[in-house]
Structure formats: structure tokens, C-alpha cells
Amino acid sequence: MKIDATKVELVNSLIRNRRSVYQQHYTGERVDDEIVTQMLENARWAPTHKLTEPWQFVVFTGEGLRKLGEAQATVYKKVTEADGTFKEERYQNLLTKTTLSSHIIAVGMKRDDKKSVPEVEEIGAVFCAVENMYLTAAAYGIGCYLSTGGITYFEAAKELFGLGDDDKLLGFLHIGIPKAAIPDSKRKPIEDKSVWVRG
């Protein structure tokens, strides 16, 4: 088997240098839409059982970020006032923090009722698609991170992103230009997390 050492090194480097870069570390500059489009294009090549392609993405940028913040804050207030868990600080964060990102992608999993694929496999496919976006961002030197906070797990939020009762909102991928070099990260040795069975 012939191995292309250049491709191997490139893939290894991208994977090992991928980082979550949070909003407070963005410059405020706008990421080119073409880069975000390439992230989405690469997302669609993620593995997907029976080719259901369960991912659904809604991209917010420009004035759309403010609208997203208002929509999230409205849903949060309605749900939490009803159950007595409303917090003003969280409401204000949802209302305003969206504008710190260049783009935000709402990440959804849309069920395909015609194919009998277990839900967990569909969720796994979407997260593989998100990893493809992470790696693409790393290749371009762009920062991003997947947030599962805010209204992610509120049933009432699904409608905002074209999701039905059987679908899932899985989070929000924030995108921005990092202020500084992306820092190193540590991981436990793979020997701590793997077992080989031979023979």
C-alpha cells in the first residue's frame, strides 16, 4: 500500500490543532461567507447510515445575529417564566451575545421517517458533520465552538429552525476570527482509553 506522507501529516496536524475558540476570543471581524460555505460543504460529506443526511443547518450573520438573539431570549423567557426558573442575566446574555460571533450555525438533526435508522445514529452523523466543520475552520485559521447551552434543549425552540417534533436541536456553532494564536490543549494518552485484543 502506498501512503502519501504529505496528506497523512496534513490530516494529523489538522486534527491535533483543532480547538474550540470562544466568543470572547474573537476579534469582531467578519469571516468571509465563502469560508462558512466551505465548512457547510465539507459537513455534508460526513458518514451517514443509509445516506439519510440528517443534518439541518440555519446560518445567521449580519443583522440575522441580532434576530437570533431576540428569538432565543423570547423562547427562554416564555419557557422559564412558566416553570419559575427565569434568570435576568441569562436572558440578557441570550439577547446580546450572538453579535460577538461573525456567524452562528444552528445545528439540527432532522429525522427521516422512511428509513429505519436509530436516532442515536442520526445524532452521531450530525456530530460527525460538525467535526468536519471544525476541521475546515482549523484549516482556514478560523475559530469556532459548538455551544449546547441557551435554548438548545427547549422543545419550544425547534420551530425557530424548521425542526419538527421528532427532530432535535443539537446546538449552535459559533464562528469568528481569533484574536491570537490558538493555544495548545492536553489529552490523556490513548493507552488510557483503548484496549487491543489480539490473537
Side-chain angles (χ1 to χ4, degrees):
M1 179 177 67
K2 186 176 180 182
I3 296 174
D4 186 329
T6 302
K7 285 183 180 177
V8 169
E9 182 54 36
L10 177 59
V11 170
N12 289 343
S13 177
L14 276 175
I15 290 171
R16 290 173 186 170
N17 289 291
R18 181 219 54 80
R19 299 287 180 272
S20 291
V21 182
Y22 302 99
Q23 286 177 302
Q24 63 267 32
H25 301 298
Y26 296 162
T27 63
E29 298 171 76
R30 197 164 181 280
V31 175
D32 194 311
D33 284 349
E34 290 184 11
I35 294 175
V36 178
T37 299
Q38 189 63 60
M39 291 170 68
L40 294 164
E41 173 65 23
N42 290 348
R44 78 184 183 99
W45 292 98
T48 165
H49 192 189
K50 295 188 179 181
L51 294 176
T52 59
E53 301 179 48
W55 40 81
Q56 176 151 322
F57 305 119
V58 181
V59 185
F60 297 87
T61 192
E63 185 64 15
L65 292 167
R66 185 188 59 76
K67 291 178 180 177
L68 173 62
E70 290 175 352
Q72 287 189 102
T74 299
V75 168
Y76 169 76
K77 187 172 186 178
K78 181 179 180 181
V79 171
T80 57
E81 282 187 342
D83 67 15
T85 61
F86 177 80
K87 294 180 181 174
E88 181 65 29
E89 182 180 3
R90 191 171 181 197
Y91 172 80
Q92 290 299 327
N93 281 341
L94 287 169
L95 191 61
T96 60
K97 283 186 76 173
T98 53
T99 58
L100 298 177
S101 297
S102 170
H103 296 68
I104 296 176
I105 302 175
V107 178
M109 183 278 292
K110 204 155 180 65
R111 291 291 275 157
D112 185 339
D113 295 331
K114 297 175 185 175
K115 299 180 181 177
S116 57
V117 178
E119 182 184 72
V120 67
E121 295 185 19
E122 300 287 69
I123 292 170
V126 176
F127 283 126
C128 285
V130 170
E131 177 68 359
N132 282 4
M133 289 196 280
Y134 256 115
L135 294 174
T136 306
Y140 280 100
I142 299 304
C144 69
Y145 78 97
L146 182 67
S147 169
T148 55
I151 62 169
T152 299
Y153 301 124
F154 288 23
E155 284 293 314
K158 291 180 180 180
E159 187 179 352
L160 296 175
F161 310 104
L163 299 170
D165 290 341
D166 294 332
D167 306 329
K168 297 248 184 256
L169 178 61
L170 297 178
F172 298 89
L173 189 71
H174 295 252
I175 302 168
I177 296 176
K179 291 178 182 175
I182 297 171
D184 288 337
S185 182
K186 293 181 181 179
R187 294 289 191 275
K188 293 178 181 177
I190 194 58
E191 291 79 11
D192 292 355
K193 301 287 185 178
S194 61
V195 176
W196 288 61
V197 180
R198 302 181 188 274

